[in-house]
Amino acid sequence: MPATSDTPKGHQISAADVAKVARLARLDIDENKIEKFTHQLSDMLSHFADIDTLDLTSVEPMTQAYPLSNVLRDDTEMPCLNREEVLAVAPAAEDGRFRVPPIIGLD
Amino acid sequence: MSENNADAGLPNGWQLVVGLEVHVELATKTKLFSASPNRFGDEPNTNIDPVTLGLPGALPVLNKFAVELAMRVGLALNCEVKPSTFHRKNYFYPDLSKAYQISQYDQPLNVDGFLDLPGGVRIGIERAHLEEDTGKSTHFGGNTGRIHGSDYSLIDFNRAGVPLVEIVSRPDIRTAEQARQYVSELRAILVAIGASDARMEEGSMRCDANVSVRKAGDPFGTRCEIKNVNSIKSLGRAIDYEARRQIDILESGGVIRQETRHWDDSDGRTHTLRTKEDADDYRYFLEPDLVPLAPSKEWVEAVRLALPMLPAARRERLASATGTSPESEAVFVVVERGQDDYVLAVGEVGGDLSRALVHVQQAYAEEPSEPRVPASDLAALTRMETAGQLTATQAKAVLADIVAAGGGDPATIAAAKGFEAMDTSEVEKMVDDAIAAQPDAWAKYLAGEEKAVGAIVGAVMKASKGKADGKVVTAIIQSRR
């Protein structure tokens, strides 16, 4: 997360960054908690920033905690879930489908 | 390869710049990360499982055959197959119940390829990566049945998790025609390698166009992404419309806003998609439930070796065997139907290849890629034509009967139809009679009016009841000149 211009001194991120991330994640955060989370997240980022100071040229980049790759399955069908059981626990269903609120609009 | 400076016909020196993103559903039996069926047209929400629905605790496991098909796509497009990873693309939209799509981000499976258009223009392929398809939403209420103004939507998750390859071209396309050629050639390749049925009308192949305009030589302009293009024809229309819309804005002093626009086939325009703020901020991060995909060199080579001959090579082969241009309509049509091997087989059993090509193009439209008519029957027909025993018109009539019956001896059918070759001396007499009967036409012809010969030819054809061979008649007339 790049620091924005309104980032207070000593902070890796700003309150505005925290509010934006919360909005993207659909998290409803109280105004008074934003300052608290800004501190906590900045502390975490500072910790990772410490790693940047190390010489890691000899360390292989790692994308996974386990030394595994190519975990694959055969292209074979298995039984499906029962539609009526699944739809019965959905908030709303209609005509064999999940019913959801309207999404977006066009001009 | 020389620079692609094809002219899109835009006014005032504007140049069109297009890049295409094509999504294709892979022809697997099951989904990308789970074992429910990948099948179009089933009852809604019958092909669902815990992974498809994103139920808590469900874990994705990658489909090996989907990987193989994705590699076929990459290799057929001259890409390099690389070690790759999967990311979560996070967004809230009900056609993906997990609130993220698993896709490939900065380490895609296939990179840096190209596709050559039939005319020789080379279009770069930036990447071809694996990702999962979304569910299908249908919008209700409001007044249009489209997203706009709907009251609610119904979601069918059968398509969610179906394996997709997204093929991203470089912005190398300069005309709407090139865009159409690109999609059409790509489709032919995908079908030939068995990766997808690539049916735009069923949505198993979908195309988004990034369109911008610039003055030749300038840096790229701001682009708009056009979605909802459902046919190759619409693609051309959408690109042409969008280019003119952008030029109008720029020429009236405005600026282009980078945005996603929705093509409406019914009004022939693109419309702004009003999305929520930050909708493009996907907060990608590595999918912790999947490990990297790094196909071994042996696997990649095995897939490469198993690739069939691609459409461009098949067109070249057929064109050179039949003495035709690889860009001729007949060659395109016959290769698209997969009947090129059949035409070549007609040649192998002593048939005339160029006649066979035209006959197959014209008479075999309803036949499968392996036509029912034995190659030897068509070969025999072309030999009768070459020997002057049948005119072109008669040969067509005989072939129509053979195709309808799934085979037959052309000599027997021709005899039954009363198609007997005319003696040349008989035709010569008819030509002389026709010339004598129409001195005016003949005089005009002799005076250099080539069209006037039509009356003479017509009279001969009438006198012979269509049995005379037009080429023979013309040759005799010329000899009398």
Side-chain angles (χ1 to χ4, degrees):
Chain A
M1 172 75 53
T4 54
S5 53
D6 62 340
T7 307
K9 205 169 164 55
H11 280 50
Q12 293 280 328
I13 58 170
S14 69
D17 291 331
V18 173
K20 181 183 176 191
V21 171
R23 189 170 70 247
L24 288 171
R26 303 290 192 277
L27 294 174
D28 194 9
I29 298 181
D30 286 349
E31 278 296 319
N32 57 14
K33 294 231 174 101
I34 286 186
E35 181 62 15
K36 180 179 162 189
F37 287 131
T38 304
H39 275 287
Q40 291 183 351
L41 287 166
S42 287
D43 287 349
M44 284 184 216
L45 290 168
S46 299
H47 177 66
F48 279 93
D50 287 346
I51 298 174
D52 285 341
T53 65
L54 303 174
D55 178 10
L56 301 172
T57 45
S58 60
V59 180
E60 280 284 302
M62 187 171 86
T63 57
Q64 265 284 346
Y66 310 104
L68 281 176
S69 62
N70 301 327
V71 176
L72 302 164
R73 46 172 263 275
D74 287 334
D75 185 26
T76 310
E77 261 186 63
M78 302 273 275
C80 292
L81 291 173
N82 179 283
R83 176 171 78 177
E84 276 57 47
E85 283 177 31
V86 169
L87 292 179
V89 294
E94 185 178 311
D95 200 17
R97 289 173 285 180
F98 295 85
R99 180 173 167 146
V100 299
I103 307 161
I104 52 172
L106 285 172
D107 278 347
Chain B
M1 184 90 20
S2 62
E3 204 186 332
N4 175 11
N5 278 323
D7 182 7
L10 297 180
N12 306 333
W14 289 101
Q15 185 183 50
L16 176 67
V17 176
V18 176
L20 294 174
E21 294 175 12
V22 175
H23 289 81
V24 280
E25 290 181 352
L26 296 176
T28 55
K29 287 197 192 71
T30 67
K31 295 187 177 180
L32 185 53
F33 299 116
S34 62
S36 56
N38 165 16
R39 210 158 43 218
F40 179 80
D42 282 3
E43 278 289 300
N45 291 309
T46 50
N47 300 332
I48 54 173
D49 57 66
V51 172
T52 298
L53 293 178
L55 298 184
L59 288 172
V61 187
L62 185 57
N63 182 336
K64 185 178 178 186
F65 188 51
V67 174
E68 178 172 331
L69 291 182
M71 288 198 289
R72 280 192 210 169
V73 174
L75 294 169
L77 296 174
N78 308 289
C79 290
E80 186 188 351
V81 178
K82 304 264 280 186
S84 65
T85 53
F86 290 90
H87 274 68
R88 290 186 182 179
K89 179 182 180 177
N90 299 280
Y91 63 97
F92 291 89
Y93 202 84
D95 59 11
L96 268 174
S97 55
K98 304 191 296 297
Y100 57 85
Q101 177 192 31
I102 303 177
S103 181
Q104 295 196 299
Y105 182 49
D106 55 351
Q107 294 179 291
L109 183 63
N110 305 293
V111 298
D112 283 338
F114 61 84
L115 183 153
D116 287 335
L117 302 184
V121 172
R122 177 163 291 182
I123 307 301
I125 303 289
E126 187 179 314
R127 56 191 284 157
H129 68 257
L130 270 168
E131 64 184 29
E132 57 180 337
D133 207 346
T134 61
K136 188 167 170 37
S137 32
T138 314
H139 310 289
F140 289 89
N143 48 8
T144 57
R146 299 198 311 250
I147 295 176
H148 174 55
S150 66
D151 294 333
Y152 65 97
S153 301
L154 296 182
I155 313 286
D156 169 13
F157 283 112
N158 282 353
R159 199 181 64 183
V162 162
L164 292 178
V165 166
E166 177 178 345
I167 301 152
V168 182
S169 88
R170 296 196 184 281
D172 291 347
I173 296 166
R174 293 289 172 270
T175 68
E177 174 57 22
Q178 286 180 355
R180 283 192 291 262
Q181 284 184 8
Y182 172 89
V183 174
S184 160
E185 188 68 9
L186 181 56
R187 184 180 183 282
I189 292 170
L190 294 168
V191 171
I193 63 177
S196 175
D197 58 12
R199 291 192 180 127
M200 286 187 91
E201 67 283 6
E202 284 183 5
S204 61
M205 179 168 178
R206 303 190 287 271
C207 186
D208 303 331
N210 288 305
V211 178
S212 64
V213 294
R214 65 171 173 184
K215 293 285 173 117
D218 281 0
F220 290 136
T222 304
R223 64 191 159 89
C224 291
E225 182 177 10
I226 315 300
K227 288 187 173 290
N228 194 43
V229 179
N230 297 322
S231 70
I232 290 177
K233 193 177 160 210
S234 302
L235 175 66
R237 289 177 67 206
I239 289 171
D240 280 335
Y241 172 83
E242 179 62 18
R244 278 157 207 283
R245 187 189 71 86
Q246 292 183 13
I247 290 169
D248 284 349
I249 291 173
L250 292 169
E251 291 195 337
S252 59
V255 288
I256 307 297
R257 195 161 48 110
Q258 184 166 340
E259 61 180 355
T260 299
R261 298 180 67 84
H262 197 87
W263 168 251
D264 187 334
D265 217 32
S266 60
D267 70 2
R269 300 160 68 108
T270 61
H271 301 265
T272 300
L273 264 179
R274 194 173 59 233
T275 48
K276 294 205 170 94
E277 198 186 349
D278 306 319
D280 286 339
D281 197 339
Y282 294 122
R283 295 161 296 137
Y284 280 97
F285 63 87
L286 270 168
E287 166 57 272
D289 292 338
L290 289 166
V291 299
L293 169 65
S296 68
K297 209 175 152 193
E298 293 72 28
W299 192 13
V300 176
E301 287 317 303
V303 172
R304 190 196 306 274
L305 282 174
L307 282 180
M309 187 184 279
L310 298 181
R314 288 171 65 162
R315 289 196 300 264
E316 284 288 343
R317 181 181 64 155
L318 183 63
S320 102
T322 55
T324 327
S325 158
E327 291 172 56
S328 75
E329 172 93 15
V331 167
F332 260 97
V333 167
V334 169
V335 168
E336 191 173 26
R337 290 192 210 134
Q339 294 167 338
D340 45 325
D341 281 341
Y342 176 82
V343 172
L344 298 173
V346 172
E348 278 162 25
V349 293
D352 180 289
L353 278 161
S354 72
R355 289 183 200 277
L357 172 65
V358 175
H359 281 315
V360 168
Q361 179 203 2
Q362 293 176 348
Y364 283 58
E366 305 301 321
E367 290 292 296
S369 60
E370 288 176 34
R372 297 165 303 145
V373 177
S376 56
D377 289 349
L378 180 55
L381 181 80
T382 63
R383 281 196 299 270
M384 289 178 70
E385 284 183 275
T386 306
Q389 293 164 320
L390 285 175
T391 66
T393 313
Q394 291 171 337
K396 270 190 198 172
V398 171
L399 184 58
D401 282 15
I402 293 178
V403 172
D409 173 33
T412 311
I413 295 170
K417 285 183 174 297
F419 293 163
E420 284 159 47
M422 298 192 64
D423 192 70
T424 307
S425 62
E426 216 179 324
V427 182
E428 282 177 341
K429 183 170 182 311
M430 285 178 177
V431 168
D432 293 335
D433 289 349
I435 290 172
Q438 301 186 79
D440 288 353
W442 184 243
K444 281 184 193 163
Y445 177 63
L446 290 180
E449 197 180 317
E450 298 292 328
K451 277 190 305 190
V453 80
I456 313 283
V457 174
V460 175
M461 298 315 280
K462 194 175 172 193
S464 73
K465 299 191 174 68
K467 286 182 195 170
D469 185 331
K471 279 184 193 155
V472 173
V473 174
T474 309
I476 295 171
I477 291 174
Q478 276 165 0
S479 75
R480 297 288 191 271
R481 197 170 194 172

